[in-house]
Amino acid sequence: MPRRFGSYGGAYVPETLVPALQELERTWRGARADPGFRGELSRLSRTLGGRPTPLYFARNLTRRAGGAEIWLKREDLVHGGAHKFNNALGQGLLARRMGKSRLIAETGAGQHGVATAMIGAALGLSTEVYMGEVDMDRQRPNVERMRLLGAKVVPVAAGSRTLKDAINAALRDWIANVRTTHYLLGSAVGPHPFPSLVAGFQSVIGREILRQARREFGRDPDLAVACVGGGSNAIGTFHPMLRTSVALLGIEAGGPRGASRGAASLSRGRPGVLHGAYTYVLQDRDGQVAPTESVSAGLDYAGVGPEHAWLRDRGRVTYRAVRDDGALAAFRWLAEDEGILPALEPAHAIFAAVGEARRRPARQRVVVTLSGRGDKDLGVVLAALARGA
Ligand SMILES: *Cc1c(COP(=O)(O)O)cnc(C)c1O
C-alpha cells in the first residue's frame, strides 16, 4: 500500500494520530488476507448492500448522443442510494475488527453521514456525524434520516460551516478519542492509509464493470467516465482499469456559469496540503483554502484524493470540469430518456459522457458510473428549473 503517489499523499497529521493511522493500516493488511473478513464483506455487500449492481445499456441516451453506446454502472441502486455504502461497510467492519465501539464521520450533503449511520446501526456501533450548520439547513431530510437511524448529528459552527469545517471537527474528535473511536472518512482523501483504503473498498465498482462488460459485449469498454468530488467513486471505477487500455475520464464540478473555480481542484487548483494529504487544492495566493461553488453538494470540496493528483500529472486519467448547467441538462436527459433520476454529482459525468459518445463511432462503448440517485436533489433541480436553467 503506497504512502505516496509520486510526491502526492503522505500523512500530514499531529503526532497523536500516527499510532491510529498505523493501526488502521495494519488491520487492513490483516483483513485483506483473511478469508473470514473478505467473506463477511462480500456477504454483507450482497445481502445488505444489494451488490452486484447492474450495468445498464442506456439505449435512448445513446440515440440522443448519436455515436458510441452509453452504459451506466448502477451505483444508484446500492442500499442508501449511492456508492458511499461500499466504503462505510468496509471501514465499519475494520472498526469492529480493531475493537472500536464508536464511529465518527463528517458529511457535506449528508450522503456519507447516512451511509455511516446505516452501517453503525447494522454493526452495533455508536455513531456521531459532524455536519456544518449551513449544510444541515440545506440537507434537512438527510439530517432526519441520520437521526432515525440512531446517529447523533453534531452541528459545526466554525469557518464556512460546511464540509471542510466538518472534517476539521471530526479530526479533532478523533485526536481526543482515538482509543475508542474510528474516524470513518467518506472519500479517497485525507492522510495515508485512507486514500488507499477507500480506493480498495470502492474498487468493487471497477471490478464488476470489467466482468460485466466482458459478459455483455465481450471486451473491455473503450472509455470509463466518473465524477470526482473527493474522488472515491472515480478511483473505485478506475483502479481495476489502470493496467488495461480503457481510456479514463474524471469529471469535476465547474460550478455556475462564470465561476472562476467551481470545485475543480485538478483543473483549476495547485498542489498544497489539505486534511493531511499533499494534493491539488483550490487556494488563494496565500495558500488559504478557497471557497468552492457547485450545484451538487457532493462535489463541493476544495481538495481531491492524492492518487488522482498523480494520475493527472502522469496523464493516465484526463480530468475536465462540467458546469452546473451541463449537469442540470444531463439530469433531465436521463430522467426523460431512461426514466432514471440521477444525483447531480454523476449528472456531471453523464453530460461529459454524452459529449464523448457523440464524437466516437457506434462500435465503441462508454461506461459511466452513476454514483447515486437523485431524490436528494429534487429541491435543487426544481429551483433551478424555476429560474429557467
Ligand atoms: C458523495 C458523492 C459523490 C462524490 O464523492 P466521491 O468521493 O468523489 O465519489 C459523488 N456522487 C454521489 C452520489 C455522492 O453521494
Side-chain angles (χ1 to χ4, degrees):
M1 199 184 313
R3 295 188 64 79
R4 293 214 175 245
F5 309 95
S7 56
Y8 300 108
Y12 299 82
V13 294
E15 248 173 88
T16 39
L17 282 187
V18 171
L21 293 170
Q22 286 171 342
E23 179 190 25
L24 182 58
E25 177 171 1
R26 212 165 42 240
T27 305
W28 191 44
R29 279 183 198 285
R32 278 203 301 184
D34 174 1
F37 180 90
R38 288 163 40 160
E40 178 152 40
L41 178 63
S42 90
R43 183 177 61 82
L44 288 174
S45 295
R46 203 172 61 244
T47 58
L48 183 62
R51 304 208 72 86
T53 59
L55 185 65
Y56 170 70
F57 176 38
R59 192 179 298 276
N60 301 325
L61 192 66
T62 295
R63 200 170 297 132
R64 175 187 289 274
E69 290 183 2
I70 301 172
W71 293 69
L72 305 176
K73 179 58 173 166
R74 298 291 310 275
E75 294 299 293
D76 59 317
L77 297 178
V78 178
H79 182 38
H83 68 293
K84 298 270 185 347
F85 174 91
N86 306 327
N87 172 49
L89 173 63
Q91 286 196 51
L93 290 173
L94 286 182
R96 208 169 62 179
R97 194 177 170 94
M98 289 184 288
K100 309 256 165 125
S101 57
R102 176 172 175 262
L103 296 177
I104 56 170
E106 82 297 339
T107 200
Q111 295 299 99
H112 175 58
V114 169
T116 304
M118 287 177 345
I119 293 303
L123 300 184
L125 302 167
S126 87
T127 304
E128 284 180 44
V129 180
Y130 287 91
M131 189 169 190
E133 287 179 346
V134 168
D135 289 333
M136 285 181 70
D137 280 342
R138 289 195 286 201
Q139 310 285 340
R140 217 8 86 182
N142 274 342
V143 174
E144 302 307 342
R145 279 188 193 103
M146 287 185 266
R147 288 182 175 148
L148 288 169
L149 291 161
K152 183 172 162 208
V153 181
V154 187
V156 177
S160 55
R161 297 180 292 150
T162 58
L163 177 61
K164 86 174 160 46
D165 313 292
I167 298 180
N168 289 333
L171 281 168
R172 266 196 302 279
D173 179 315
W174 202 27
I175 291 167
N177 300 295
V178 72
R179 271 191 328 106
T180 59
T181 299
H182 175 62
Y183 178 15
L184 207 163
L185 191 52
S187 188
V189 302
H192 176 78
F194 281 110
S196 300
L197 186 86
V198 175
F201 289 130
Q202 292 293 2
S203 289
V204 65
I205 301 173
R207 286 197 305 272
E208 286 180 9
I209 290 174
L210 289 177
R211 197 166 67 232
Q212 291 165 326
R214 284 163 195 164
R215 195 170 60 224
E216 294 284 350
F217 40 86
R219 59 180 179 82
D220 289 348
D222 297 280
L223 171 70
V225 188
C227 64
V228 179
S232 70
N233 86 89
I235 206 72
T237 301
F238 298 160
H239 234 236
M241 302 182 192
L242 289 176
R243 273 184 232 103
T244 69
S245 59
V246 181
L248 304 173
L249 177 61
I251 300 299
E252 301 189 291
R257 188 181 290 277
S260 58
R261 301 190 187 90
S265 333
L266 291 162
S267 314
R268 297 169 193 167
R270 59 195 161 79
V273 171
L274 181 63
H275 296 134
Y278 185 65
T279 185
Y280 277 79
V281 182
L282 289 169
Q283 48 190 304
D284 67 15
R285 278 164 51 195
D286 299 329
Q288 291 297 314
V289 178
T292 53
E293 236 184 320
S294 169
V295 70
S296 63
L299 301 185
D300 205 349
Y301 179 57
V304 65
E307 192 166 5
H308 286 292
W310 183 64
L311 291 168
R312 169 200 186 276
D313 285 7
R314 280 172 56 221
R316 177 61 186 94
V317 182
T318 304
Y319 296 89
R320 282 209 301 266
V322 163
R323 282 197 313 251
D324 290 356
D325 51 2
L328 288 162
F331 180 98
R332 299 187 69 181
W333 297 341
L334 204 60
E336 290 165 17
D337 292 354
E338 302 292 346
I340 297 170
L341 298 174
L344 281 171
E345 291 86 1
H348 290 74
I350 304 275
F351 183 82
V354 167
E356 284 290 326
R358 189 165 289 151
R359 280 192 285 280
R360 290 166 181 262
R363 66 179 138 69
Q364 289 207 3
R365 269 86 169 198
V366 175
V367 173
V368 195
T369 297
L370 182 52
S371 54
R373 65 174 183 231
D375 311 47
K376 70 181 176 63
D377 293 322
L378 293 190
V380 176
V381 170
L382 292 174
L385 294 181
R387 282 195 308 271

